[in-house]
Amino acid sequence: MGKPPPGKCFQELWFGLLVSFLLCLVLLCLNYSTSSGANNGIDLSMSKQVRPIGDMKINDTEDSCSDRYIYIHDDLPSKFNSDFLINCKSISAGISSSSIPSMCPDLLNLGLGPQIENSDGVLANESWFVTNPYLLEVIFHNKMKKYECLTSNSTLASAIYVPFYTGMDASVHLWDSNLTIRDSSAKNLVKWLSGQPEWKKMWGRDHFFVSGRTSWDFRRVRDNSSEWGSKLRFLPESMNMTMLSMEGSLWKNDIAIPYPTSFHPAKDIEVVQWQNRVRQQERPYLFAFVGAPRPHLQGSIRGKIIDHCQASTTCKFLHCGENNCHNPVNIIRVFQSSVYCLQPRGDSDTRRSAFDAILAGCIPVFFHPATAFSQYLWYLPKNHTKYSVFIPVRDVKDLKEEGIIEKVLQGISKDRELAMREEVIRIIAKLVYADPGSRLDTPDAFDIAVQGILERIENVRKVIREGRDPSIGFAEVDGTKFTFPDTID
């Protein structure tokens, strides 16, 4: 056969190249669809960095924990917390270091104490316990372990929680005449914290801890063994942290949160049932006082208040010096039977009794602004007249007039009384600490404390972002905090 013409060879060559190109293109498309299709059984985990489930974010707008993540210093040495629980037999259950039983029984039920099994019809359900208020730090820690927005990644955290049991430590060391021993835990704590990587993020201003004692127990001004307390809160590192305690101080980084009462509901319905119960309660007494005199405290009005109560046929008095107040049932029984409950200062400005009274639907009567008004700012209505009566008593002589308390209370109209009681009943839910093993839909005292601390720390971040000094105002003294107001409202 003869040779094909040159033009025909050229056409066949281009046709072959075109077919080859199309075949390659088809094969390439098939390979791509197989490798990048809708995860058809193919493990793509190696192509992404997977975050821990607790820290996972879809995006900031859909993350319910955005700006609410809290990191717990679980690596805190055990000598600052769990060792106290193990050695509870050697720790006092009260505020004194002598002749008081150990607090081991108080640690039952995650720090709530023994459950009250028989209340003689005074209490409503099974969520009542013999709770030691000085275990606030233990209760708070156990509730924090169940907090919905915990993170194991401290870089995501909006706040750093330090589970230091300051109150239990104080029960061991606070009465020691050797100041080196008394201050040793405080100094060791801040040394450890300031050495952690989390500290350098905001130099401790995003750190907080909780105390089951008043803040004054940690603010010893002078290094004199006769002076009360440790110097924890005056250590430079500690001044950069916020302390939540049952009683605040003049310093702005000490913030008061409620004393634990004996009611720790596990369900929202239990709160509602209790509120309905105290709303319908018959109250045969106009006012009541639960407590004991304080003859060793100069200027204490306790004795005068007891005199006023015992002189009145409309007042119910329960003397706590006769061990009648160790059983919460006795206290709630008295408060349930009274319209008003007198709340003078005790060993310090505040009293757990004020919260027991509110819990029982009894309208509290305060005599000093530092007992409640200037303390629990996250919890109580700003307008004090909505839920309480204020009888300003600057000195014992202000109560010398016989029957003055009874006259003031008798002068309150029935309509105002009912309105105040309704407000008292309304705020019960905010003042109780729910059972640490459960979570309520309604914010309790713990939830409000967490929200408050997050907002406080965010305000510090805002100051930093604006280029201002975050130390200004953070731990300063408010000299007017506990002074008598010019007006009651």
Side-chain angles (χ1 to χ4, degrees), residues 76-207:
L76 190 70
S78 61
K79 65 180 179 180
F80 294 116
N81 46 42
S82 59
D83 283 359
F84 294 122
L85 308 182
I86 297 171
N87 300 315
C88 59
K89 289 183 179 180
S90 62
I91 300 177
S92 165
I95 61 173
S96 171
S97 62
S98 61
S99 67
I100 295 181
S102 78
M103 63 166 52
C104 291
D106 298 341
L107 294 170
L108 294 173
N109 299 306
L110 301 176
L112 304 184
Q115 189 171 7
I116 299 175
E117 297 180 354
N118 182 15
S119 69
D120 296 325
V122 175
L123 310 179
N125 48 52
E126 298 179 352
S127 294
W128 291 80
F129 302 81
V130 183
T131 300
N132 183 340
Y134 297 103
L135 289 182
L136 171 60
E137 58 213 30
V138 178
I139 296 171
F140 198 98
H141 187 193
N142 284 322
K143 289 182 68 66
M144 182 58 75
K145 291 175 183 178
K146 298 288 185 178
Y147 177 60
E148 61 182 347
C149 294
L150 291 181
T151 178
S152 59
N153 184 350
S154 61
T155 62
L156 293 176
S158 295
I160 308 293
Y161 169 56
V162 182
F164 174 36
Y165 295 168
T166 57
M168 299 185 81
D169 177 74
S171 295
V172 177
H173 301 297
L174 202 52
W175 286 266
D176 203 306
S177 59
N178 187 323
L179 294 183
T180 300
I181 295 176
R182 201 191 298 180
D183 295 333
S184 60
S185 292
K187 292 181 178 179
N188 289 335
L189 173 76
V190 299
K191 180 179 179 181
W192 186 89
L193 286 173
S194 61
Q196 305 307 304
E198 290 79 16
W199 185 264
K200 297 176 179 61
K201 185 178 178 181
M202 292 178 64
W203 301 106
R205 291 188 181 88
D206 55 352
H207 286 49

Side-chain angles (χ1 to χ4, degrees), residues 7 31 49 93 117 157 161 207 226 244 275 284 286 294 296 301 310 343 356 363 382 390 392 445 450 466 472 489:
N31 182 61
Q49 183 179 358
E117 297 180 354
Y161 169 56
H207 286 49
S226 64
L244 306 179
Q275 289 172 316
L286 176 64
R294 293 289 190 273
H296 61 285
I301 64 172
Q310 291 182 319
Q343 301 299 334
D356 288 331
I363 301 166
K382 185 176 181 180
F390 183 44
V450 169
E466 293 174 352
I472 297 178
D489 293 349

Side-chain angles (χ1 to χ4, degrees), residues 296-312:
H296 61 285
L297 290 180
Q298 185 177 4
S300 174
I301 64 172
R302 289 285 197 98
K304 185 63 66 174
I305 281 180
I306 292 173
D307 292 342
H308 279 237
C309 185
Q310 291 182 319
S312 172

Side-chain angles (χ1 to χ4, degrees), residues 119-123 328-338 360:
S119 69
D120 296 325
V122 175
L123 310 179
V329 175
N330 296 334
I331 298 173
I332 298 299
R333 179 187 284 114
V334 171
F335 286 161
Q336 279 183 342
S337 66
S338 307

Side-chain angles (χ1 to χ4, degrees), residues 343-462:
Q343 301 299 334
R345 290 189 291 176
D347 293 313
S348 63
D349 287 324
T350 62
R351 302 183 73 205
R352 167 179 166 165
S353 178
F355 295 95
D356 288 331
I358 292 174
L359 180 62
C362 190
I363 301 166
V365 180
F366 297 114
F367 301 87
H368 195 284
T371 306
F373 304 156
S374 56
Q375 293 278 357
Y376 309 100
L377 304 181
W378 294 348
Y379 295 88
L380 299 176
K382 185 176 181 180
N383 183 350
H384 315 138
T385 62
K386 291 183 64 177
Y387 71 96
S388 67
V389 176
F390 183 44
I391 303 177
V393 178
R394 293 170 174 81
D395 195 85
V396 177
K397 65 178 183 290
D398 291 335
L399 288 176
K400 281 190 175 180
E401 181 186 338
E402 185 177 349
I404 184 173
I405 296 176
E406 186 172 356
K407 290 178 183 177
V408 170
L409 299 179
Q410 285 178 337
I412 298 174
S413 70
K414 192 67 177 179
D415 286 344
R416 185 188 168 200
E417 172 198 317
L418 293 175
M420 283 191 292
R421 181 179 304 116
E422 195 58 37
E423 184 67 14
V424 164
I425 293 172
R426 185 188 69 82
I427 63 179
I428 287 175
K430 301 168 60 176
L431 303 181
V432 298
Y433 294 88
D435 190 319
S438 63
R439 180 175 176 80
L440 305 184
D441 292 330
T442 304
D444 70 344
F446 167 82
D447 295 320
I448 294 172
V450 169
Q451 182 61 33
I453 203 71
L454 288 171
E455 290 177 0
R456 172 176 167 82
I457 295 171
E458 179 55 33
N459 287 336
V460 176
R461 286 197 181 89
K462 180 180 179 182

Side-chain angles (χ1 to χ4, degrees), residues 10 25 50 90 96 104 116 139 152 205 240 243 263-264 273-274 286 305-306 315 460 484 488:
F10 185 79
L25 183 62
V50 181
S90 62
S96 171
C104 291
I116 299 175
I139 296 171
S152 59
R205 291 188 181 88
N240 281 6
M243 182 174 77
F263 184 37
H264 305 282
Q273 290 171 344
W274 178 252
L286 176 64
I305 281 180
I306 292 173
C315 184
V460 176
F484 281 85
I488 295 177

